[in-house]
Amino acid sequence: MLIAALSAGERPHPAQWLGLVAALGGLVYLVLPGLAAPDPAGAALMTAAGVAWGLYSLRGRSAARPLAATVGNFLRSLPLAAATTVVFAGQAEASPRGAVLAVISGALASGVGYAIWYAALGGLSATLASTVQLAVPVLAAGGGVLFLAEEVTPRLVVASVLILGGVALTLRRPAGGQRSGGGAAPPGASGLPPSAK
């Protein structure tokens, strides 16, 4: 997303760069105890997933109707999901309760979340969007503390301050008063050719 932003002419101000570095540093610090060299296939799949999410987000910035766009995206994913289900059907273990929870988690929670993300993207530059989403692990950790009684550790506090502070820096207006790299995306700012929209 940052490459697309820079290619489209966005020029983050120094505070935004500092905020991005701080947020990324906080994220690395948050997950550092569990970091290990993944197997090459796993690393390749995670890289592909990250790139796909970036492209999904960039395309979402031009969505006029976020909910309809999200429904369409989910419908287009059904053939792949069905094919995957058939391939791995022999290894599946599903209870009725588990199936209901999976539908609630995927179709409802994720679907609504993606629609909200698409709606928010219309007012964010690619630079801001790429940084703002780094707050998601902090929100997830906060949910764990509130609903699952997980422990608030010094590492979580420091990482949260770095990540949320970094996000706040990227959202800060520069001295001129105009938010650099903010606002709705101009035509072509998604970094994708018009034909891809």
Side-chain angles (χ1 to χ4, degrees):
M1 290 182 73
L2 282 172
I3 292 171
L6 295 173
S7 299
E10 289 184 24
R11 293 297 176 261
H13 55 77
Q16 285 182 316
W17 283 114
L18 180 61
L20 176 62
V21 170
L24 284 172
L27 180 63
V28 170
Y29 181 63
L30 180 64
V31 301
L32 193 59
L35 285 182
D39 67 279
L45 288 172
M46 287 304 298
T47 300
V51 171
W53 176 254
L55 293 173
Y56 181 86
S57 296
L58 289 170
R59 288 178 63 91
R61 295 175 65 221
S62 62
R65 301 185 326 175
L67 185 57
T70 301
V71 170
N73 291 337
F74 271 56
L75 290 175
R76 283 187 289 275
S77 72
L78 285 178
L80 179 59
T84 304
T85 301
V86 170
V87 170
F88 294 101
Q91 304 174 30
E93 293 183 22
S95 67
R97 181 174 183 270
V100 169
L101 291 174
V103 170
I104 291 173
S105 171
L108 186 59
S110 294
V112 171
Y114 290 1
I116 292 172
W117 178 238
Y118 262 24
L121 284 170
L124 296 174
S125 68
T127 302
L128 293 180
S130 65
T131 308
V132 165
Q133 62 188 339
L134 294 177
V136 171
V138 176
L139 298 176
V145 170
L146 288 175
F147 302 112
L148 302 176
E150 292 186 0
E151 182 183 359
V152 178
T153 63
R155 178 180 296 277
L156 176 59
V157 172
V158 171
S160 297
V161 168
L162 283 171
I163 294 171
L164 297 179
V167 170
L169 271 177
T170 65
L171 297 174
R172 187 178 70 85
R173 294 180 185 273
Q178 177 73 27
R179 180 179 290 170
S180 174
S190 68
L192 297 173
S195 60
K197 297 179 183 178

mmCIF file of all heavy atoms in Angstrom, residues 51-71:
data_model
loop_
_atom_site.group_PDB
_atom_site.id
_atom_site.type_symbol
_atom_site.label_atom_id
_atom_site.label_comp_id
_atom_site.label_asym_id
_atom_site.label_seq_id
_atom_site.Cartn_x
_atom_site.Cartn_y
_atom_site.Cartn_z
ATOM 1 N N VAL A 51 -0.120 -9.191 0.633
ATOM 2 C CA VAL A 51 -0.235 -8.440 -0.620
ATOM 3 C C VAL A 51 -1.693 -8.386 -1.068
ATOM 4 O O VAL A 51 -2.199 -7.342 -1.499
ATOM 5 C CB VAL A 51 0.653 -9.079 -1.714
ATOM 6 C CG1 VAL A 51 0.377 -8.443 -3.075
ATOM 7 C CG2 VAL A 51 2.128 -8.918 -1.354
ATOM 8 N N ALA A 52 -2.397 -9.519 -0.948
ATOM 9 C CA ALA A 52 -3.804 -9.562 -1.344
ATOM 10 C C ALA A 52 -4.642 -8.600 -0.500
ATOM 11 O O ALA A 52 -5.519 -7.905 -1.023
ATOM 12 C CB ALA A 52 -4.351 -10.991 -1.209
ATOM 13 N N TRP A 53 -4.371 -8.540 0.803
ATOM 14 C CA TRP A 53 -5.118 -7.614 1.659
ATOM 15 C C TRP A 53 -4.836 -6.163 1.253
ATOM 16 O O TRP A 53 -5.734 -5.320 1.240
ATOM 17 C CB TRP A 53 -4.779 -7.829 3.125
ATOM 18 C CG TRP A 53 -5.469 -6.822 3.998
ATOM 19 C CD1 TRP A 53 -4.916 -5.748 4.624
ATOM 20 C CD2 TRP A 53 -6.869 -6.775 4.300
ATOM 21 N NE1 TRP A 53 -5.876 -5.043 5.304
ATOM 22 C CE2 TRP A 53 -7.088 -5.650 5.118
ATOM 23 C CE3 TRP A 53 -7.961 -7.586 3.946
ATOM 24 C CZ2 TRP A 53 -8.348 -5.309 5.599
ATOM 25 C CZ3 TRP A 53 -9.213 -7.236 4.431
ATOM 26 C CH2 TRP A 53 -9.394 -6.112 5.242
ATOM 27 N N GLY A 54 -3.569 -5.865 0.924
ATOM 28 C CA GLY A 54 -3.234 -4.514 0.474
ATOM 29 C C GLY A 54 -3.985 -4.145 -0.794
ATOM 30 O O GLY A 54 -4.544 -3.046 -0.914
ATOM 31 N N LEU A 55 -4.030 -5.065 -1.753
ATOM 32 C CA LEU A 55 -4.766 -4.811 -3.004
ATOM 33 C C LEU A 55 -6.260 -4.687 -2.732
ATOM 34 O O LEU A 55 -6.942 -3.831 -3.313
ATOM 35 C CB LEU A 55 -4.496 -5.933 -4.014
ATOM 36 C CG LEU A 55 -3.069 -6.013 -4.543
ATOM 37 C CD1 LEU A 55 -2.883 -7.262 -5.402
ATOM 38 C CD2 LEU A 55 -2.725 -4.767 -5.340
ATOM 39 N N TYR A 56 -6.779 -5.535 -1.853
ATOM 40 C CA TYR A 56 -8.196 -5.479 -1.478
ATOM 41 C C TYR A 56 -8.527 -4.100 -0.894
ATOM 42 O O TYR A 56 -9.552 -3.497 -1.218
ATOM 43 C CB TYR A 56 -8.483 -6.583 -0.464
ATOM 44 C CG TYR A 56 -9.913 -6.682 0.000
ATOM 45 C CD1 TYR A 56 -10.838 -7.425 -0.716
ATOM 46 C CD2 TYR A 56 -10.343 -6.050 1.162
ATOM 47 C CE1 TYR A 56 -12.161 -7.545 -0.296
ATOM 48 C CE2 TYR A 56 -11.660 -6.156 1.598
ATOM 49 C CZ TYR A 56 -12.562 -6.905 0.860
ATOM 50 O OH TYR A 56 -13.866 -7.005 1.280
ATOM 51 N N SER A 57 -7.634 -3.599 -0.043
ATOM 52 C CA SER A 57 -7.852 -2.298 0.574
ATOM 53 C C SER A 57 -7.752 -1.171 -0.449
ATOM 54 O O SER A 57 -8.554 -0.230 -0.436
ATOM 55 C CB SER A 57 -6.839 -2.069 1.705
ATOM 56 O OG SER A 57 -7.032 -3.013 2.743
ATOM 57 N N LEU A 58 -6.779 -1.253 -1.341
ATOM 58 C CA LEU A 58 -6.630 -0.215 -2.353
ATOM 59 C C LEU A 58 -7.854 -0.154 -3.267
ATOM 60 O O LEU A 58 -8.337 0.928 -3.610
ATOM 61 C CB LEU A 58 -5.359 -0.459 -3.183
ATOM 62 C CG LEU A 58 -4.042 -0.202 -2.451
ATOM 63 C CD1 LEU A 58 -2.873 -0.705 -3.278
ATOM 64 C CD2 LEU A 58 -3.875 1.284 -2.130
ATOM 65 N N ARG A 59 -8.358 -1.305 -3.636
ATOM 66 C CA ARG A 59 -9.565 -1.340 -4.480
ATOM 67 C C ARG A 59 -10.776 -0.796 -3.725
ATOM 68 O O ARG A 59 -11.656 -0.165 -4.306
ATOM 69 C CB ARG A 59 -9.847 -2.761 -4.966
ATOM 70 C CG ARG A 59 -8.866 -3.259 -6.016
ATOM 71 C CD ARG A 59 -9.178 -4.687 -6.414
ATOM 72 N NE ARG A 59 -10.495 -4.793 -7.027
ATOM 73 C CZ ARG A 59 -10.747 -4.685 -8.326
ATOM 74 N NH1 ARG A 59 -9.752 -4.431 -9.152
ATOM 75 N NH2 ARG A 59 -11.972 -4.806 -8.799
ATOM 76 N N GLY A 60 -10.814 -1.033 -2.422
ATOM 77 C CA GLY A 60 -11.939 -0.586 -1.625
ATOM 78 C C GLY A 60 -12.073 0.918 -1.535
ATOM 79 O O GLY A 60 -13.156 1.438 -1.251
ATOM 80 N N ARG A 61 -10.985 1.641 -1.790
ATOM 81 C CA ARG A 61 -11.034 3.101 -1.697
ATOM 82 C C ARG A 61 -11.919 3.707 -2.772
ATOM 83 O O ARG A 61 -12.366 4.842 -2.647
ATOM 84 C CB ARG A 61 -9.615 3.669 -1.790
ATOM 85 C CG ARG A 61 -8.742 3.249 -0.615
ATOM 86 C CD ARG A 61 -7.312 3.710 -0.776
ATOM 87 N NE ARG A 61 -7.279 5.162 -0.740
ATOM 88 C CZ ARG A 61 -6.531 5.896 -1.545
ATOM 89 N NH1 ARG A 61 -5.776 5.316 -2.459
ATOM 90 N NH2 ARG A 61 -6.527 7.200 -1.447
ATOM 91 N N SER A 62 -12.194 2.960 -3.828
ATOM 92 C CA SER A 62 -13.047 3.493 -4.900
ATOM 93 C C SER A 62 -14.461 2.918 -4.846
ATOM 94 O O SER A 62 -15.259 3.173 -5.746
ATOM 95 C CB SER A 62 -12.418 3.181 -6.264
ATOM 96 O OG SER A 62 -12.323 1.776 -6.455
ATOM 97 N N ALA A 63 -14.774 2.152 -3.791
ATOM 98 C CA ALA A 63 -16.103 1.538 -3.683
ATOM 99 C C ALA A 63 -17.136 2.588 -3.275
ATOM 100 O O ALA A 63 -17.034 3.180 -2.202
ATOM 101 C CB ALA A 63 -16.084 0.403 -2.668
ATOM 102 N N ALA A 64 -18.116 2.813 -4.130
ATOM 103 C CA ALA A 64 -19.162 3.800 -3.820
ATOM 104 C C ALA A 64 -20.129 3.272 -2.775
ATOM 105 O O ALA A 64 -20.666 4.027 -1.969
ATOM 106 C CB ALA A 64 -19.914 4.178 -5.096
ATOM 107 N N ARG A 65 -20.379 1.945 -2.794
ATOM 108 C CA ARG A 65 -21.306 1.325 -1.828
ATOM 109 C C ARG A 65 -20.571 0.201 -1.120
ATOM 110 O O ARG A 65 -20.539 -0.938 -1.602
ATOM 111 C CB ARG A 65 -22.551 0.826 -2.549
ATOM 112 C CG ARG A 65 -23.306 1.937 -3.279
ATOM 113 C CD ARG A 65 -24.600 1.457 -3.879
ATOM 114 N NE ARG A 65 -24.516 0.070 -4.340
ATOM 115 C CZ ARG A 65 -25.557 -0.607 -4.828
ATOM 116 N NH1 ARG A 65 -26.731 -0.029 -4.910
ATOM 117 N NH2 ARG A 65 -25.417 -1.846 -5.233
ATOM 118 N N PRO A 66 -19.959 0.505 0.035
ATOM 119 C CA PRO A 66 -19.108 -0.473 0.732
ATOM 120 C C PRO A 66 -19.802 -1.797 1.041
ATOM 121 O O PRO A 66 -19.218 -2.867 0.860
ATOM 122 C CB PRO A 66 -18.714 0.253 2.014
ATOM 123 C CG PRO A 66 -18.813 1.699 1.677
ATOM 124 C CD PRO A 66 -19.955 1.805 0.714
ATOM 125 N N LEU A 67 -21.050 -1.748 1.522
ATOM 126 C CA LEU A 67 -21.735 -2.988 1.889
ATOM 127 C C LEU A 67 -21.992 -3.848 0.663
ATOM 128 O O LEU A 67 -21.742 -5.059 0.669
ATOM 129 C CB LEU A 67 -23.046 -2.682 2.612
ATOM 130 C CG LEU A 67 -23.799 -3.895 3.152
ATOM 131 C CD1 LEU A 67 -22.936 -4.705 4.105
ATOM 132 C CD2 LEU A 67 -25.099 -3.460 3.835
ATOM 133 N N ALA A 68 -22.464 -3.240 -0.413
ATOM 134 C CA ALA A 68 -22.723 -3.991 -1.640
ATOM 135 C C ALA A 68 -21.429 -4.563 -2.208
ATOM 136 O O ALA A 68 -21.398 -5.701 -2.695
ATOM 137 C CB ALA A 68 -23.403 -3.092 -2.670
ATOM 138 N N ALA A 69 -20.358 -3.786 -2.142
ATOM 139 C CA ALA A 69 -19.061 -4.269 -2.644
ATOM 140 C C ALA A 69 -18.588 -5.463 -1.831
ATOM 141 O O ALA A 69 -18.076 -6.446 -2.377
ATOM 142 C CB ALA A 69 -18.031 -3.148 -2.591
ATOM 143 N N THR A 70 -18.777 -5.413 -0.515
ATOM 144 C CA THR A 70 -18.353 -6.514 0.344
ATOM 145 C C THR A 70 -19.173 -7.765 0.080
ATOM 146 O O THR A 70 -18.636 -8.879 0.007
ATOM 147 C CB THR A 70 -18.468 -6.106 1.825
ATOM 148 O OG1 THR A 70 -17.650 -4.953 2.052
ATOM 149 C CG2 THR A 70 -18.005 -7.231 2.742
ATOM 150 N N VAL A 71 -20.494 -7.602 -0.075
ATOM 151 C CA VAL A 71 -21.345 -8.750 -0.392
ATOM 152 C C VAL A 71 -20.895 -9.385 -1.710
ATOM 153 O O VAL A 71 -20.789 -10.606 -1.826
ATOM 154 C CB VAL A 71 -22.829 -8.322 -0.473
ATOM 155 C CG1 VAL A 71 -23.685 -9.453 -1.043
ATOM 156 C CG2 VAL A 71 -23.338 -7.930 0.909
#
